Amino acid sequence: MSTSLTIRRPDDWHLHLRDGDMLRAVLPETTRHFARAIIMPNLVPPVVTAADAIRYRAMITDALPAGSSFQPLMTLYLTEQTNPEDVAMAHATGLIAAVKLYPAGATTNSASGVANFDKVRGVLDRMAEIGLPLCVHGEVTDADIDIFDREAVFIDRVLDPIRRATPGLRVVMEHITTSGAVEYVQSQATDLAATITTHHLVINRNHILVGGIHPHYYCLPVAKRESHRLALVKAATSGDNHFFLGTDSAPHVDAAKETGCGCAGCFTATNTMSILAEVFDRENALPNLEAFTSLSGPAFYGLPVNKSTLTLTKGTPVAYPAKITSKAGPVTVFDPGFDLHWHVGP
Ligand code: NCD
Ligand code: ZN
């Protein structure tokens, strides 16, 4: 039985850092273990233009803990007004690593997302030409589609048609939650990849709804039934480089979660690496943890793997705070519901 594991320093390929007081509170939780992260642009107002991304990147670097070499990988929020040349320029100067597609209304702060996909054709064509990845929130928003079916319907009605219409477009299907998404991604060439969150490897929909409503397990896409969770665990732990970590760590103050209409988002930055080690250990798949957290993401994005390493050591249960404090209010840390034994060292 392994009791110690050293891996290349991980990256988070889908992260919400917010701005202001929340940014300052949550950023150290990520920089403690992660070298880089793809930063989601769904601020209010969203990060739409290169100029917005320059400003947001400066806010993040200003908030970095002293001595941190964390690198934020910026993204632009795709709107029907996005200018293909602004995107191309932001890519050429190394400012952005991806563009983010939110179907309008799909999730937190997605009101300015895309409703008519014909209107973003020019941007997508340009992105395919220059090799800039599109990160996709893969859920349809039609009122008549059951929330548990929104990802499956998105693949058929939106994702597959977009990919067929835009040959060469590199796409990350983010935070996948279904066995159908696993199968779809696996069946495609390496121009399609998927991120998997920490929490979707741990919870199914019962965790949200059984024995009372558990708002801290509510996120989008919503967790599905157990068979889907098992498919995600199998994909994540398999070593297949179509799948890599995107925590989707999405902080909301408790007051916004524990209310009549609570926000979607699980905050997992604090204990993600210990949770993942536990999940991989249970699957006897610890040798594949590095691929999932540190190798497959850089390979897809065409970036070097990190030179530095992280060591995980198995021992007595890991202590972590139940909440982190921010000037905006407390933020509950994701509770996996089991003890964590993997301590993350330097
Ligand atoms: C995210 C957020 O809070 O910004 N929420 C979530 O449930 N994942 C938005 C998102 O990525 O869907
Ligand atoms: Zn997200």
Side-chain angles (χ1 to χ4, degrees):
M1 190 185 76
S2 298
T3 55
S4 173
L5 178 71
T6 297
I7 59 173
R8 296 284 188 150
R9 208 167 175 80
D11 302 305
D12 185 346
W13 300 97
H14 180 133
L15 176 66
H16 298 271
L17 287 176
R18 317 299 189 202
D19 52 12
D21 290 334
M22 186 63 93
L23 167 65
R24 278 184 284 280
V26 299
L27 185 57
E29 302 301 297
T30 286
T31 61
R32 197 174 294 131
H33 299 155
F34 292 89
R36 298 172 290 200
I38 288 274
I39 310 300
M40 286 297 124
N42 63 332
L43 301 183
V44 189
V47 179
V48 172
T49 62
D52 297 338
I54 289 171
R55 274 192 297 273
Y56 188 28
R57 186 175 58 180
M59 283 189 231
I60 296 169
T61 46
D62 284 352
L64 280 176
S68 171
S69 56
F70 176 79
Q71 203 189 340
L73 304 172
M74 307 309 291
T75 61
L76 296 183
Y77 185 120
L78 183 60
T79 72
E80 293 176 4
Q81 287 74 43
T82 295
N83 175 351
E85 290 319 309
D86 186 56
V87 170
M89 183 76 89
H91 171 67
T93 59
L95 172 66
I96 59 165
V99 169
K100 174 70 190 241
L101 165 64
Y102 287 104
T107 186
T108 310
N109 305 337
S110 61
S112 348
V114 177
N116 178 353
F117 287 86
D118 291 335
K119 296 207 170 145
V120 294
R121 180 120 311 284
V123 183
L124 299 183
D125 287 342
R126 194 86 172 89
M127 289 172 62
E129 239 172 76
I130 61 181
L132 177 62
L134 180 71
C135 293
V136 174
H137 183 108
E139 289 191 288
V140 293
T141 54
D142 313 46
D144 62 332
I145 304 294
D146 189 278
I147 191 164
F148 290 99
D149 297 334
R150 289 179 172 198
E151 182 173 288
V153 173
F154 183 86
I155 295 173
D156 290 346
R157 289 196 194 163
V158 184
L159 183 57
D160 201 60
I162 284 183
R163 293 185 57 244
R164 284 175 196 279
T166 325
L169 183 65
R170 298 178 66 67
V171 175
V172 184
M173 191 178 175
E174 299 193 281
H175 40 49
I176 59 170
T177 57
T178 56
S179 56
V182 168
E183 283 158 24
Y184 177 67
V185 173
Q186 256 164 357
S187 72
Q188 304 295 304
T190 51
D191 58 346
L192 180 67
T195 53
I196 301 178
T197 74
T198 309
H199 48 282
H200 288 122
L201 296 174
V202 173
I203 60 166
N204 62 38
R205 61 195 194 179
N206 280 16
H207 291 81
I208 311 169
L209 297 170
V210 172
I213 192 157
H214 299 268
H216 297 291
Y217 290 144
Y218 174 61
C219 69
L220 287 170
V222 70
K224 310 296 191 294
R225 61 171 65 241
E226 177 65 1
S227 55
H228 293 291
R229 186 190 72 86
L230 293 173
L232 298 174
V233 170
K234 199 164 168 214
T237 59
S238 68
D240 180 341
N241 65 7
H242 281 99
F243 303 102
F244 42 86
L245 175 66
T247 65
D248 195 18
S249 181
H252 293 278
V253 292
D254 285 353
K257 297 279 297 172
E258 300 168 4
T259 178
C261 182
C263 299
C266 297
F267 178 66
T268 56
T270 305
N271 51 8
T272 274
M273 288 310 296
S274 294
I275 296 174
L276 292 175
E278 199 78 27
V279 168
F280 277 65
D281 194 2
R282 288 176 173 194
E283 296 299 306
N284 289 317
L286 280 171
N288 288 339
L289 180 63
E290 185 180 43
F292 184 64
T293 63
S294 318
L295 305 179
S296 302
F300 180 86
Y301 277 93
L303 294 169
V305 298
N306 295 311
K307 288 200 174 61
S308 58
T309 60
L310 198 72
T311 296
L312 295 123
T313 310
K314 195 171 188 178
T316 52
V318 175
Y320 57 87
K323 295 174 193 293
I324 63 152
T325 47
S326 82
K327 281 193 185 149
V331 178
T332 293
V333 174
F334 178 75
D335 173 7
F338 45 75
D339 281 346
L340 305 176
H341 300 92
W342 288 89
H343 297 252
V344 187

